[in-house]
Amino acid sequence: MRHFLDFEKPLAELEGKIEELRRTTDAGGIDVAEEVGNLQSKADKLLASTYAKLTPWQKAQVARHPDRPKCLTYVEALIEDFTPLAGDRAFADDAAVIGGMGRFRGHSVMVLGTEKGTDTESRVKHNFGMAKPEGYRKARRLMELAGRFGLPIISFVDTSGAFPGIEAEARGQAEAIARAIEAGLDAPVPFVATIIGEGGSGGAIALAAADRVLMLEHSIYSVISPEGCASILWRDAAQASTAADALKLTAQDLSRLALIDSVVPEPLGGAHRDPQATVQAVADKVWASLEPLLDLDAATLRARRREKFLEMGKQGVA
């Protein structure tokens, strides 16, 4: 059953009527093809007009859509012979961070990402994509491993932020994130990161201190969630819409600020309406971003990456 967001309610009503008419046709053999066609045309126009004028807050809702393709969707579709690697060699394995080696379009690569899960069981297993220190230490370990073996790094970021629990703070959450960012900046190999849903605060940057940062059309990338920002500034999470406007968190805003390198178009209605087309679009953009980097030396990659990160800091993103 398709999940509709609050601002999609008129569309939900239309598509509900279409489905009801189709069931009527199946049950009684009544020909309602013309009426279904008219309603479908209206639904298509409404979908196009709705998504042509999404507000930043509405984009945040699309970025969090439960049916949106997750990190493992991309890994399973794009990475051949994927071999997962686990653990930080210090405390534990964090299922919120996915990592391993595989082949992307004929090239051996190291893959990283944050996984939110697709149902209740997997969401609990992956802690809703909120990594703990051991997750970021695993990411750091794998980035350093990629450097030793000359493997380009590809990451898929989808997290509301690092896990904020007391135990995470006790185990050095901030230090672990900082070290992961440092590992990304120092990696002697090409690094391409894609924000596929939410890119929340340092928890996202830890896996996105890359040569090229891509964002899906309806993804978001920000220092804090709209709700968190509203709670701090107005002490009212209901002001999240106002906060989203001010944060400049959409792919379009960040592209205009030159803080990301490319916006990946999504199918009409969002990535969740056609995951296969979305995955293919991301694959093409990642390859187009990665290929020119393959011949650059380590010193050049590091220098350009650090310059990009410093610019992000000046703009208030990092």
Side-chain angles (χ1 to χ4, degrees):
M1 183 176 179
R2 179 171 288 168
H3 176 90
F4 289 93
L5 301 169
D6 288 343
F7 66 85
E8 294 179 315
K9 284 181 179 177
L11 183 64
E13 293 174 5
L14 267 178
E15 294 197 359
K17 290 178 182 178
I18 291 169
E19 186 59 32
E20 186 177 344
L21 281 172
R22 285 174 174 161
R23 284 199 299 268
T24 301
T25 302
D26 294 339
I30 303 172
D31 186 6
V32 292
E34 184 177 353
E35 189 171 354
V36 167
N38 290 335
L39 286 175
Q40 187 62 60
S41 178
K42 288 182 181 179
D44 292 343
K45 290 178 181 177
L46 180 59
L47 180 65
S49 63
T50 299
Y51 273 77
K53 55 184 180 182
L54 291 183
T55 66
W57 175 235
Q58 289 170 337
K59 280 184 175 287
Q61 294 175 65
V62 177
R64 298 167 175 171
H65 197 289
D67 298 331
R68 195 173 179 85
K70 305 299 190 295
C71 172
L72 283 174
T73 306
Y74 293 91
V75 172
E76 290 166 1
L78 303 181
I79 309 302
E80 298 177 4
D81 303 321
F82 179 66
T83 302
L85 299 173
D88 66 344
R89 300 298 186 266
F91 183 79
D93 182 47
D94 188 344
V97 174
I98 303 299
M101 295 182 288
R103 295 181 68 81
F104 175 62
R105 297 198 171 178
H107 289 262
S108 296
V109 296
M110 182 68 76
V111 182
L112 294 170
T114 39
E115 172 63 31
K116 283 186 173 181
T118 55
D119 54 28
T120 301
E121 183 179 355
S122 63
R123 285 168 188 149
V124 170
K125 173 185 175 183
H126 297 290
N127 199 33
F128 301 86
M130 295 184 293
K132 299 174 182 177
E134 49 270 26
Y136 296 113
R137 292 184 176 120
K138 173 167 73 173
R140 175 190 174 192
R141 180 174 76 84
L142 297 188
M143 284 188 272
E144 291 174 349
L145 188 66
R148 286 199 293 273
F149 286 96
L151 302 176
I153 302 167
I154 297 173
S155 72
F156 301 103
V157 179
D158 186 15
T159 179
S160 58
F163 182 64
I166 293 175
E167 66 269 33
E169 295 299 326
R171 294 200 296 272
Q173 184 73 290
E175 183 270 346
I177 291 172
R179 293 292 187 183
I181 294 171
E182 181 183 46
L185 293 175
D186 284 344
V189 293
F191 186 177
V192 176
T194 306
I195 313 298
I196 58 174
E198 284 189 276
S201 193
I205 297 173
L207 273 69
D211 298 291
R212 295 286 182 271
V213 179
L214 318 177
M215 285 183 71
L216 280 172
E217 180 182 358
H218 302 308
S219 60
I220 59 174
Y221 193 18
S222 176
V223 295
I224 192 171
S225 69
E227 297 93 334
C229 178
S231 296
I232 293 171
L233 294 182
W234 297 286
R235 299 185 183 279
D236 181 7
Q239 295 287 336
S241 176
T242 303
D245 290 339
L247 284 168
K248 303 300 180 187
L249 45 63
T250 69
Q252 293 73 24
D253 287 330
L254 295 174
S255 180
R256 281 193 292 271
L257 291 168
L259 296 174
I260 63 168
D261 298 285
S262 186
V263 178
V264 184
E266 296 187 27
L268 182 61
H272 55 280
R273 283 186 171 259
D274 194 343
Q276 187 174 356
T278 303
V279 169
Q280 185 58 52
V282 168
D284 292 340
K285 280 285 188 180
V286 168
W287 177 245
S289 299
L290 179 63
E291 190 177 23
L293 301 173
L294 294 175
D295 295 327
L296 297 181
D297 62 84
T300 301
L301 291 169
R302 286 170 173 153
R304 291 169 59 171
R305 209 176 290 146
R306 286 180 175 276
E307 184 179 352
K308 175 192 289 286
F309 196 77
L310 286 172
E311 183 59 30
M312 288 179 68
K314 290 175 185 177
Q315 294 282 0
V317 174

Short mmCIF file of all heavy atoms in Angstrom, two decimals, residues 194-252:
data_model
loop_
_atom_site.label_atom_id
_atom_site.label_comp_id
_atom_site.label_asym_id
_atom_site.label_seq_id
_atom_site.Cartn_x
_atom_site.Cartn_y
_atom_site.Cartn_z
N THR A 194 27.08 10.64 -1.93
CA THR A 194 25.74 11.01 -2.39
C THR A 194 24.78 11.05 -1.22
O THR A 194 24.66 10.09 -0.47
CB THR A 194 25.21 9.99 -3.42
OG1 THR A 194 26.15 9.85 -4.48
CG2 THR A 194 23.88 10.45 -3.99
N ILE A 195 24.10 12.19 -1.05
CA ILE A 195 23.05 12.31 -0.04
C ILE A 195 21.78 11.77 -0.68
O ILE A 195 21.23 12.38 -1.60
CB ILE A 195 22.84 13.77 0.41
CG1 ILE A 195 24.18 14.46 0.72
CG2 ILE A 195 21.90 13.83 1.60
CD1 ILE A 195 24.97 13.85 1.83
N ILE A 196 21.32 10.61 -0.21
CA ILE A 196 20.18 9.95 -0.86
C ILE A 196 18.85 10.22 -0.15
O ILE A 196 17.79 9.92 -0.69
CB ILE A 196 20.41 8.44 -0.98
CG1 ILE A 196 20.64 7.82 0.41
CG2 ILE A 196 21.59 8.15 -1.91
CD1 ILE A 196 20.74 6.29 0.39
N GLY A 197 18.92 10.77 1.06
CA GLY A 197 17.71 11.07 1.82
C GLY A 197 17.99 12.25 2.74
O GLY A 197 18.04 13.39 2.32
N GLU A 198 18.20 11.93 4.01
CA GLU A 198 18.59 12.96 4.98
C GLU A 198 20.11 13.02 5.11
O GLU A 198 20.76 11.99 5.17
CB GLU A 198 18.00 12.65 6.36
CG GLU A 198 16.53 12.96 6.51
CD GLU A 198 16.08 12.83 7.95
OE1 GLU A 198 15.77 11.70 8.37
OE2 GLU A 198 16.03 13.86 8.65
N GLY A 199 20.62 14.23 5.21
CA GLY A 199 22.03 14.42 5.54
C GLY A 199 22.08 15.28 6.79
O GLY A 199 22.06 16.50 6.71
N GLY A 200 22.09 14.63 7.93
CA GLY A 200 21.95 15.34 9.18
C GLY A 200 23.25 15.57 9.92
O GLY A 200 23.87 14.63 10.40
N SER A 201 23.68 16.82 10.00
CA SER A 201 24.76 17.28 10.86
C SER A 201 26.07 16.51 10.65
O SER A 201 26.36 16.02 9.57
CB SER A 201 24.28 17.19 12.32
OG SER A 201 25.15 17.88 13.18
N GLY A 202 26.87 16.43 11.73
CA GLY A 202 28.17 15.76 11.64
C GLY A 202 28.05 14.30 11.31
O GLY A 202 28.95 13.70 10.72
N GLY A 203 26.92 13.69 11.68
CA GLY A 203 26.70 12.29 11.37
C GLY A 203 26.69 12.03 9.88
O GLY A 203 27.04 10.93 9.42
N ALA A 204 26.31 13.04 9.09
CA ALA A 204 26.34 12.91 7.62
C ALA A 204 27.70 13.30 7.07
O ALA A 204 28.25 12.62 6.20
CB ALA A 204 25.25 13.78 7.01
N ILE A 205 28.25 14.41 7.57
CA ILE A 205 29.54 14.89 7.06
C ILE A 205 30.64 13.86 7.26
O ILE A 205 31.58 13.76 6.47
CB ILE A 205 29.92 16.23 7.72
CG1 ILE A 205 28.87 17.29 7.36
CG2 ILE A 205 31.29 16.70 7.26
CD1 ILE A 205 29.07 18.60 8.08
N ALA A 206 30.52 13.05 8.32
CA ALA A 206 31.53 12.03 8.61
C ALA A 206 31.72 11.08 7.44
O ALA A 206 32.81 10.51 7.26
CB ALA A 206 31.14 11.24 9.86
N LEU A 207 30.69 10.88 6.64
CA LEU A 207 30.78 10.00 5.48
C LEU A 207 30.68 10.78 4.17
O LEU A 207 30.44 10.20 3.11
CB LEU A 207 29.68 8.94 5.52
CG LEU A 207 30.00 7.65 6.30
CD1 LEU A 207 30.09 7.93 7.79
CD2 LEU A 207 28.95 6.58 6.04
N ALA A 208 30.87 12.11 4.25
CA ALA A 208 30.69 12.92 3.04
C ALA A 208 31.75 13.99 2.87
O ALA A 208 31.55 14.95 2.13
CB ALA A 208 29.31 13.57 3.04
N ALA A 209 32.90 13.83 3.52
CA ALA A 209 34.02 14.76 3.31
C ALA A 209 34.74 14.33 2.04
O ALA A 209 35.87 13.84 2.07
CB ALA A 209 34.95 14.76 4.52
N ALA A 210 34.07 14.52 0.91
CA ALA A 210 34.47 13.89 -0.34
C ALA A 210 34.91 14.89 -1.41
O ALA A 210 34.72 16.10 -1.28
CB ALA A 210 33.29 13.06 -0.88
N ASP A 211 35.51 14.35 -2.48
CA ASP A 211 35.88 15.17 -3.63
C ASP A 211 34.65 15.72 -4.33
O ASP A 211 34.63 16.86 -4.79
CB ASP A 211 36.68 14.33 -4.64
CG ASP A 211 37.96 13.82 -4.05
OD1 ASP A 211 38.87 14.63 -3.80
OD2 ASP A 211 38.07 12.60 -3.84
N ARG A 212 33.65 14.88 -4.47
CA ARG A 212 32.40 15.27 -5.11
C ARG A 212 31.24 14.88 -4.21
O ARG A 212 31.15 13.74 -3.77
CB ARG A 212 32.24 14.58 -6.47
CG ARG A 212 33.28 14.98 -7.51
CD ARG A 212 33.02 16.38 -8.04
NE ARG A 212 33.97 16.76 -9.07
CZ ARG A 212 35.14 17.35 -8.84
NH1 ARG A 212 35.49 17.63 -7.58
NH2 ARG A 212 35.95 17.67 -9.82
N VAL A 213 30.37 15.83 -3.93
CA VAL A 213 29.18 15.57 -3.11
C VAL A 213 27.95 15.78 -3.98
O VAL A 213 27.73 16.87 -4.53
CB VAL A 213 29.12 16.49 -1.88
CG1 VAL A 213 27.86 16.20 -1.06
CG2 VAL A 213 30.37 16.31 -1.02
N LEU A 214 27.16 14.73 -4.12
CA LEU A 214 25.94 14.76 -4.92
C LEU A 214 24.73 14.71 -3.98
O LEU A 214 24.82 14.18 -2.88
CB LEU A 214 25.88 13.56 -5.87
CG LEU A 214 27.17 13.18 -6.61
CD1 LEU A 214 26.93 11.94 -7.46
CD2 LEU A 214 27.66 14.33 -7.47
N MET A 215 23.62 15.26 -4.43
CA MET A 215 22.38 15.17 -3.66
C MET A 215 21.24 14.82 -4.58
O MET A 215 21.13 15.37 -5.68
CB MET A 215 22.06 16.50 -2.97
CG MET A 215 22.90 16.81 -1.75
SD MET A 215 22.39 18.38 -0.96
CE MET A 215 20.79 17.91 -0.24
N LEU A 216 20.39 13.91 -4.13
CA LEU A 216 19.16 13.67 -4.86
C LEU A 216 18.26 14.91 -4.78
O LEU A 216 18.33 15.68 -3.80
CB LEU A 216 18.43 12.46 -4.30
CG LEU A 216 18.97 11.10 -4.78
CD1 LEU A 216 18.32 9.96 -4.02
CD2 LEU A 216 18.73 10.93 -6.27
N GLU A 217 17.44 15.08 -5.77
CA GLU A 217 16.64 16.30 -5.94
C GLU A 217 15.82 16.66 -4.70
O GLU A 217 15.68 17.84 -4.36
CB GLU A 217 15.71 16.11 -7.14
CG GLU A 217 14.82 17.27 -7.46
CD GLU A 217 13.90 16.99 -8.63
OE1 GLU A 217 14.00 15.89 -9.22
OE2 GLU A 217 13.08 17.87 -8.96
N HIS A 218 15.26 15.66 -4.03
CA HIS A 218 14.42 15.92 -2.86
C HIS A 218 15.07 15.46 -1.56
O HIS A 218 14.38 15.13 -0.59
CB HIS A 218 13.05 15.25 -3.03
CG HIS A 218 12.31 15.70 -4.25
ND1 HIS A 218 12.09 17.04 -4.55
CD2 HIS A 218 11.75 15.00 -5.28
CE1 HIS A 218 11.43 17.12 -5.69
NE2 HIS A 218 11.22 15.92 -6.15
N SER A 219 16.39 15.45 -1.52
CA SER A 219 17.09 15.15 -0.28
C SER A 219 17.40 16.45 0.46
O SER A 219 17.22 17.54 -0.09
CB SER A 219 18.38 14.38 -0.56
OG SER A 219 19.24 15.15 -1.39
N ILE A 220 17.86 16.33 1.71
CA ILE A 220 18.21 17.51 2.49
C ILE A 220 19.56 17.28 3.17
O ILE A 220 19.97 16.15 3.41
CB ILE A 220 17.14 17.83 3.56
CG1 ILE A 220 16.95 16.65 4.53
CG2 ILE A 220 15.82 18.21 2.90
CD1 ILE A 220 16.02 16.95 5.69
N TYR A 221 20.26 18.39 3.47
CA TYR A 221 21.60 18.32 4.04
C TYR A 221 21.76 19.55 4.92
O TYR A 221 21.72 20.68 4.42
CB TYR A 221 22.62 18.32 2.91
CG TYR A 221 24.04 17.95 3.25
CD1 TYR A 221 24.39 17.29 4.42
CD2 TYR A 221 25.07 18.28 2.37
CE1 TYR A 221 25.71 16.95 4.69
CE2 TYR A 221 26.39 17.95 2.63
CZ TYR A 221 26.70 17.28 3.80
OH TYR A 221 28.00 16.95 4.07
N SER A 222 21.93 19.37 6.22
CA SER A 222 21.91 20.51 7.12
C SER A 222 22.67 20.24 8.41
O SER A 222 22.90 19.09 8.78
CB SER A 222 20.44 20.84 7.46
OG SER A 222 20.34 21.87 8.39
N VAL A 223 23.01 21.32 9.11
CA VAL A 223 23.72 21.20 10.39
C VAL A 223 22.81 20.66 11.49
O VAL A 223 23.28 20.17 12.52
CB VAL A 223 24.28 22.56 10.85
CG1 VAL A 223 25.35 23.04 9.89
CG2 VAL A 223 23.17 23.60 10.98
N ILE A 224 21.50 20.74 11.30
CA ILE A 224 20.54 20.30 12.31
C ILE A 224 19.21 20.05 11.63
O ILE A 224 18.93 20.61 10.57
CB ILE A 224 20.40 21.37 13.43
CG1 ILE A 224 19.64 20.82 14.64
CG2 ILE A 224 19.73 22.64 12.89
CD1 ILE A 224 19.65 21.76 15.84
N SER A 225 18.37 19.21 12.22
CA SER A 225 17.05 18.97 11.65
C SER A 225 16.17 20.20 11.84
O SER A 225 16.40 21.00 12.77
CB SER A 225 16.40 17.77 12.35
OG SER A 225 16.06 18.10 13.69
N PRO A 226 15.17 20.39 11.00
CA PRO A 226 14.26 21.54 11.19
C PRO A 226 13.61 21.53 12.57
O PRO A 226 13.48 22.59 13.21
CB PRO A 226 13.23 21.34 10.08
CG PRO A 226 13.94 20.58 9.02
CD PRO A 226 14.86 19.65 9.76
N GLU A 227 13.22 20.35 13.06
CA GLU A 227 12.59 20.26 14.38
C GLU A 227 13.57 20.67 15.48
O GLU A 227 13.20 21.38 16.43
CB GLU A 227 12.09 18.83 14.65
CG GLU A 227 11.00 18.38 13.70
CD GLU A 227 11.54 17.65 12.48
OE1 GLU A 227 12.70 17.88 12.09
OE2 GLU A 227 10.81 16.82 11.93
N GLY A 228 14.82 20.20 15.37
CA GLY A 228 15.83 20.55 16.36
C GLY A 228 16.11 22.04 16.37
O GLY A 228 16.23 22.67 17.43
N CYS A 229 16.22 22.61 15.19
CA CYS A 229 16.46 24.06 15.07
C CYS A 229 15.31 24.85 15.69
O CYS A 229 15.53 25.80 16.45
CB CYS A 229 16.63 24.42 13.60
SG CYS A 229 16.89 26.18 13.30
N ALA A 230 14.07 24.44 15.39
CA ALA A 230 12.90 25.13 15.92
C ALA A 230 12.83 25.02 17.44
O ALA A 230 12.46 25.98 18.13
CB ALA A 230 11.63 24.56 15.29
N SER A 231 13.21 23.85 17.96
CA SER A 231 13.17 23.66 19.42
C SER A 231 14.17 24.56 20.12
O SER A 231 13.93 25.05 21.23
CB SER A 231 13.46 22.20 19.76
OG SER A 231 12.45 21.35 19.24
N ILE A 232 15.31 24.81 19.48
CA ILE A 232 16.34 25.66 20.08
C ILE A 232 15.97 27.14 19.95
O ILE A 232 16.03 27.91 20.92
CB ILE A 232 17.70 25.41 19.43
CG1 ILE A 232 18.20 23.99 19.78
CG2 ILE A 232 18.73 26.45 19.87
CD1 ILE A 232 19.42 23.56 19.01
N LEU A 233 15.57 27.56 18.76
CA LEU A 233 15.33 28.98 18.51
C LEU A 233 14.00 29.48 19.07
O LEU A 233 13.91 30.59 19.60
CB LEU A 233 15.39 29.27 17.01
CG LEU A 233 16.75 29.09 16.33
CD1 LEU A 233 16.66 29.47 14.86
CD2 LEU A 233 17.82 29.94 17.02
N TRP A 234 12.95 28.67 18.92
CA TRP A 234 11.62 29.10 19.34
C TRP A 234 11.04 28.26 20.48
O TRP A 234 9.93 28.50 20.91
CB TRP A 234 10.66 29.07 18.16
CG TRP A 234 11.04 30.02 17.06
CD1 TRP A 234 10.91 31.37 17.07
CD2 TRP A 234 11.64 29.69 15.79
NE1 TRP A 234 11.39 31.90 15.90
CE2 TRP A 234 11.83 30.90 15.09
CE3 TRP A 234 12.01 28.50 15.18
CZ2 TRP A 234 12.40 30.94 13.82
CZ3 TRP A 234 12.57 28.53 13.92
CH2 TRP A 234 12.76 29.75 13.25
N ARG A 235 11.80 27.24 20.90
CA ARG A 235 11.31 26.30 21.92
C ARG A 235 9.97 25.69 21.51
O ARG A 235 9.09 25.45 22.35
CB ARG A 235 11.19 26.99 23.29
CG ARG A 235 12.52 27.52 23.81
CD ARG A 235 12.40 28.08 25.21
NE ARG A 235 13.65 28.65 25.66
CZ ARG A 235 14.67 27.94 26.15
NH1 ARG A 235 14.55 26.62 26.27
NH2 ARG A 235 15.78 28.54 26.55
N ASP A 236 9.85 25.46 20.21
CA ASP A 236 8.59 24.95 19.68
C ASP A 236 8.88 24.17 18.39
O ASP A 236 9.13 24.77 17.35
CB ASP A 236 7.63 26.10 19.40
CG ASP A 236 6.28 25.63 18.87
OD1 ASP A 236 6.04 24.40 18.84
OD2 ASP A 236 5.47 26.50 18.49
N ALA A 237 8.82 22.84 18.46
CA ALA A 237 9.11 22.01 17.29
C ALA A 237 8.10 22.23 16.17
O ALA A 237 8.36 21.90 15.01
CB ALA A 237 9.14 20.54 17.68
N ALA A 238 6.94 22.81 16.50
CA ALA A 238 5.93 23.08 15.49
C ALA A 238 6.37 24.15 14.50
O ALA A 238 5.75 24.32 13.44
CB ALA A 238 4.62 23.49 16.15
N GLN A 239 7.45 24.86 14.83
CA GLN A 239 7.99 25.88 13.93
C GLN A 239 8.97 25.27 12.93
O GLN A 239 9.75 26.00 12.30
CB GLN A 239 8.70 26.97 14.75
CG GLN A 239 7.79 27.76 15.66
CD GLN A 239 6.91 28.71 14.88
OE1 GLN A 239 7.23 29.13 13.78
NE2 GLN A 239 5.77 29.05 15.47
N ALA A 240 8.94 23.95 12.77
CA ALA A 240 9.90 23.27 11.89
C ALA A 240 9.85 23.78 10.46
O ALA A 240 10.87 23.88 9.79
CB ALA A 240 9.64 21.76 11.92
N SER A 241 8.67 24.12 9.99
CA SER A 241 8.53 24.63 8.62
C SER A 241 9.30 25.94 8.45
O SER A 241 10.01 26.14 7.44
CB SER A 241 7.06 24.83 8.27
OG SER A 241 6.92 25.40 6.99
N THR A 242 9.17 26.84 9.43
CA THR A 242 9.90 28.11 9.39
C THR A 242 11.41 27.87 9.43
O THR A 242 12.18 28.50 8.71
CB THR A 242 9.48 29.01 10.57
OG1 THR A 242 8.06 29.20 10.52
CG2 THR A 242 10.17 30.36 10.51
N ALA A 243 11.82 26.93 10.29
CA ALA A 243 13.24 26.61 10.41
C ALA A 243 13.78 26.03 9.11
O ALA A 243 14.89 26.37 8.69
CB ALA A 243 13.45 25.61 11.55
N ALA A 244 13.00 25.19 8.46
CA ALA A 244 13.44 24.58 7.20
C ALA A 244 13.69 25.64 6.14
O ALA A 244 14.65 25.55 5.36
CB ALA A 244 12.39 23.57 6.70
N ASP A 245 12.85 26.65 6.10
CA ASP A 245 13.04 27.76 5.16
C ASP A 245 14.36 28.47 5.42
O ASP A 245 15.09 28.83 4.49
CB ASP A 245 11.89 28.77 5.27
CG ASP A 245 10.58 28.22 4.73
OD1 ASP A 245 10.62 27.27 3.93
OD2 ASP A 245 9.51 28.75 5.12
N ALA A 246 14.69 28.67 6.70
CA ALA A 246 15.88 29.45 7.06
C ALA A 246 17.17 28.65 6.91
O ALA A 246 18.23 29.23 6.65
CB ALA A 246 15.75 29.94 8.51
N LEU A 247 17.10 27.33 7.04
CA LEU A 247 18.31 26.51 7.05
C LEU A 247 18.96 26.33 5.68
O LEU A 247 20.12 25.92 5.60
CB LEU A 247 17.98 25.12 7.64
CG LEU A 247 17.82 25.06 9.15
CD1 LEU A 247 17.21 23.72 9.56
CD2 LEU A 247 19.16 25.27 9.85
N LYS A 248 18.22 26.60 4.61
CA LYS A 248 18.75 26.41 3.25
C LYS A 248 19.29 24.97 3.11
O LYS A 248 20.44 24.74 2.75
CB LYS A 248 19.86 27.41 2.95
CG LYS A 248 19.45 28.86 3.11
CD LYS A 248 18.31 29.23 2.18
CE LYS A 248 17.89 30.69 2.34
NZ LYS A 248 16.67 31.01 1.57
N LEU A 249 18.43 24.01 3.38
CA LEU A 249 18.85 22.62 3.44
C LEU A 249 18.55 21.79 2.20
O LEU A 249 18.94 20.62 2.12
CB LEU A 249 18.22 21.94 4.66
CG LEU A 249 16.72 22.17 4.96
CD1 LEU A 249 15.80 21.66 3.91
CD2 LEU A 249 16.38 21.59 6.34
N THR A 250 17.90 22.38 1.20
CA THR A 250 17.55 21.60 0.02
C THR A 250 18.72 21.49 -0.95
O THR A 250 19.67 22.27 -0.90
CB THR A 250 16.36 22.24 -0.72
OG1 THR A 250 16.78 23.47 -1.32
CG2 THR A 250 15.19 22.50 0.21
N ALA A 251 18.63 20.52 -1.83
CA ALA A 251 19.69 20.34 -2.83
C ALA A 251 19.82 21.57 -3.71
O ALA A 251 20.93 21.96 -4.10
CB ALA A 251 19.36 19.11 -3.69
N GLN A 252 18.69 22.20 -4.01
CA GLN A 252 18.72 23.38 -4.87
C GLN A 252 19.42 24.56 -4.17
O GLN A 252 20.22 25.27 -4.78
CB GLN A 252 17.29 23.77 -5.26
CG GLN A 252 16.59 22.76 -6.15
CD GLN A 252 16.17 21.48 -5.42
OE1 GLN A 252 15.98 21.49 -4.19
NE2 GLN A 252 16.04 20.39 -6.15
#
